[in-house]
């Protein structure tokens, strides 16, 4: 436990084995504070996550180490912080997050929490510290990353990160599509998409990965970790195999997540060459999250990205009829994927700043 000047406390919490035990109170507070602050930033509860969903990703089955803290002011929880440390061999990266209620900004709590996170990361040999933060639209000065694509307002969060040595490396766009409308327009895209995607078929599954597709899906997930545009961010290449796919499936089951994976399969070889993921937590009326989407390099140019996203949205209507929208995140320079999203009815909702700091060795 690290105590800061008057009334400020950044307290490391223990991740419980279950949410029903006597040791679960801190983690439940951690989950509630996450959702409260995400809603404060976005103006809605679209990105809420249940405690079960969060616990599944913090448990012993996780493929990265996750550390959690509560931020307290005079004994009241007013924020939370976490660090994600990839377990990939030789990783130098740590993904950090500090969330503080707006009502207590300017009292040093964010600075205290960030110092604790950085110390914890560096103590574990992580020298590349990276933070993703949503920056709601605002008038005034804007910041542009080295990619020269996209921008964010120079808001309170941006100034805070700059003051602590972080540089803006990339802008991501958060987009959403309304699932209650646009069905006819999307269906009209299917015939020309199928014509361009001749030689490929759509395969999909809900829940656990079928044995026949484990190897192909693992290969796509590994490729995703290196092929997505990342500017000068340091993203570790992930090692995916059958065991890692099983661990991921276990986490989705433990979280009560409905997962749809939709792939394009090359008819000549049987290889999975494109995929997209849709996730929905235990609340059937919540917003859906689109996970990874990828078309392998050698199979681009056949509208496979449109094919898998379109097929997924069509199937999702039956699987999750009460979910009102799908949210997705893409690098601002990923114009090909953004064009697909636009054609499917997605609209830009917010800009995300990807920030990096290289700590001294």
């Amino acid at each position: 436990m690290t105590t800061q000047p008057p009334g400020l406390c950044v307290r490391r919490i223990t991740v419980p084995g279950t949410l029903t035990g006597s040791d679960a109170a801190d983690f439940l507070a951690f989950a509630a504070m996450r959702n409260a602050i995400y809603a404060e930033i976005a103006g809605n509860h679209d990105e809420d996550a249940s405690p079960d969903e969060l616990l599944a990703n913090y448990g012993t089955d996780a493929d990265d180490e996750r550390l959690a803290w509560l931020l307290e002011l005079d004994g009241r929880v007013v924020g939370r912080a976490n660090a994600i440390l990839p377990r990939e061999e030789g990783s130098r990266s740590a993904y950090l997050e500090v969330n503080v209620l707006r009502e207590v900004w300017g009292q040093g709590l964010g600075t205290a929490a960030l110092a604790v996170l950085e110390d914890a990361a560096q103590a574990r040999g992580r020298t590349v510290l990276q933070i993703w933060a949503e920056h709601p639209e605002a008038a005034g000065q804007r910041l542009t990353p080295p990619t020269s694509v996209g921008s964010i307002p120079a808001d309170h969060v941006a100034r805070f990160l700059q003051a602590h040595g972080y540089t803006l490396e990339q802008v991501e766009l958060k987009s959403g599509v309304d699932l209650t409308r646009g069905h006819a327009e999307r269906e009209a895209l299917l015939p020309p998409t199928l014509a361009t995607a001749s030689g490929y078929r759509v395969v999909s599954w809900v829940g656990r990965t079928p044995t026949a597709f484990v190897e192909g899906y693992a290969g796509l997930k590994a490729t995703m970790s290196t092929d997505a545009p990342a500017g000068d961010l340091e993203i570790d290449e992930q090692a995916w195999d059958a065991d890692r796919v099983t661990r991921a499936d276990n986490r989705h089951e433990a979280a009560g997540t409905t997962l749809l994976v939709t792939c394009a399969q090359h008819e000549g070889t049987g290889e999975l060459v494109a995929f997209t993921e849709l996730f929905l937590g235990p609340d059937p009326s919540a917003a859906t999250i689109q996970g990874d989407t990828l078309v392998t390099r050698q199979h681009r140019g056949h509208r496979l990205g449109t094919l898998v996203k379109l097929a997924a949205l069509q199937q999702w209507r039956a699987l999750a009829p009460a979910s009102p929208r799908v949210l997705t995140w893409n690098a601002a320079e990923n114009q090909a994927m953004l064009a697909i999203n636009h054609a499917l009815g997605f609209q830009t909702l917010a800009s995300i700043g990807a920030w990096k700091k290289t700590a001294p060795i």
Side-chain angles (χ1 to χ4, degrees):
M1 183 174 72
T2 300
T3 302
Q4 304 298 329
L8 305 186
C9 180
V10 182
R11 181 165 60 85
R12 173 86 181 273
I13 67 171
T14 300
V15 177
T18 71
L19 295 173
T20 57
S22 59
D23 61 345
D26 279 347
F27 193 82
L28 291 170
F30 176 85
M33 185 53 56
R34 173 205 179 275
N35 291 342
I37 296 176
Y38 274 38
E40 187 176 73
I41 295 169
N44 56 57
H45 286 274
D46 280 355
E47 294 176 63
D48 278 7
S50 72
D52 285 315
E53 291 176 89
L54 291 177
L55 184 60
N57 287 304
Y58 276 80
T60 57
D61 198 30
D63 284 291
D64 42 48
E65 182 182 8
R66 299 195 178 208
L67 312 175
W69 289 261
L70 285 176
L71 283 56
E72 297 172 332
L73 180 61
D74 296 327
R76 174 192 167 212
V77 177
V78 294
R80 63 128 205 182
N82 65 292
I84 301 175
L85 310 173
R87 298 188 192 276
E88 312 303 328
E89 184 176 354
S91 176
R92 304 190 307 157
S93 300
Y95 305 115
L96 311 181
E97 187 174 22
V98 176
N99 302 134
V100 182
L101 289 172
R102 192 170 290 132
E103 66 185 80
V104 295
W105 281 1
Q107 300 186 50
L109 194 53
T111 294
L114 186 58
V116 170
L117 291 182
E118 291 181 347
D119 286 347
Q122 291 179 67
R124 290 162 174 80
R126 308 308 172 102
T127 56
V128 180
L129 312 177
Q130 297 173 127
I131 294 175
W132 276 256
E134 182 169 327
H135 299 267
E137 281 305 308
Q141 181 184 358
R142 301 189 69 83
L143 303 174
T144 302
T147 62
S148 300
V149 185
S151 66
I152 61 168
D155 57 14
H156 174 88
V157 172
R159 294 192 299 272
F160 171 83
L161 291 171
Q162 287 180 317
H164 290 84
Y166 289 79
T167 58
L168 178 67
E169 295 292 347
Q170 187 183 51
V171 170
E172 292 185 356
L173 300 178
K174 180 172 79 171
S175 306
V177 63
D178 187 342
L179 292 177
T180 67
R181 56 175 55 183
H183 307 307
E185 291 83 354
R186 285 190 286 273
E187 287 178 2
L189 293 172
L190 189 57
T193 300
L194 288 172
T196 307
S198 177
Y200 301 87
R201 67 170 68 91
V202 173
V203 297
S204 63
W205 62 88
V206 178
R208 301 196 74 86
T209 310
T211 302
F213 297 134
V214 166
E215 183 178 349
Y217 181 49
L220 289 172
K221 293 290 285 185
T223 301
M224 182 72 201
S225 67
T226 57
D227 272 22
D232 286 331
L233 297 166
E234 186 163 320
I235 308 298
D236 297 310
E237 181 176 359
Q238 296 180 351
W240 278 82
D241 56 16
D243 288 342
R244 186 162 185 165
V245 171
T246 297
R247 292 194 298 274
D249 288 344
N250 290 343
R251 289 195 294 274
H252 294 310
E253 284 190 353
T257 301
T258 299
L259 166 64
L260 169 67
V261 180
T262 305
C263 300
Q265 184 181 41
H266 185 243
E267 292 179 347
T269 63
E271 180 185 5
L272 299 183
V273 298
F275 81 116
T276 193
E277 303 164 323
L278 292 177
F279 300 90
L280 182 63
D283 180 359
S285 65
T288 296
I289 302 299
Q290 186 142 47
D292 291 338
T293 300
L294 173 76
V295 180
T296 56
R297 292 181 183 275
Q298 60 270 40
H299 291 275
R300 292 174 185 171
H302 301 281
R303 298 189 71 179
L304 299 183
T306 301
L307 179 66
V308 295
K309 283 203 167 193
L310 183 59
L313 289 175
Q314 287 185 316
Q315 189 173 351
W316 200 245
R317 290 179 62 190
L319 285 172
S323 182
R325 66 191 61 84
V326 174
L327 303 179
T328 190
W329 290 258
N330 301 97
E333 63 267 34
N334 193 350
Q335 293 298 309
M337 194 60 67
L338 290 170
I340 292 171
N341 290 346
H342 179 75
L344 295 178
F346 283 83
Q347 296 183 334
T348 301
L349 302 175
S351 297
I352 313 297
W355 299 82
K356 185 177 79 170
K357 174 181 178 179
T358 302
I361 299 175

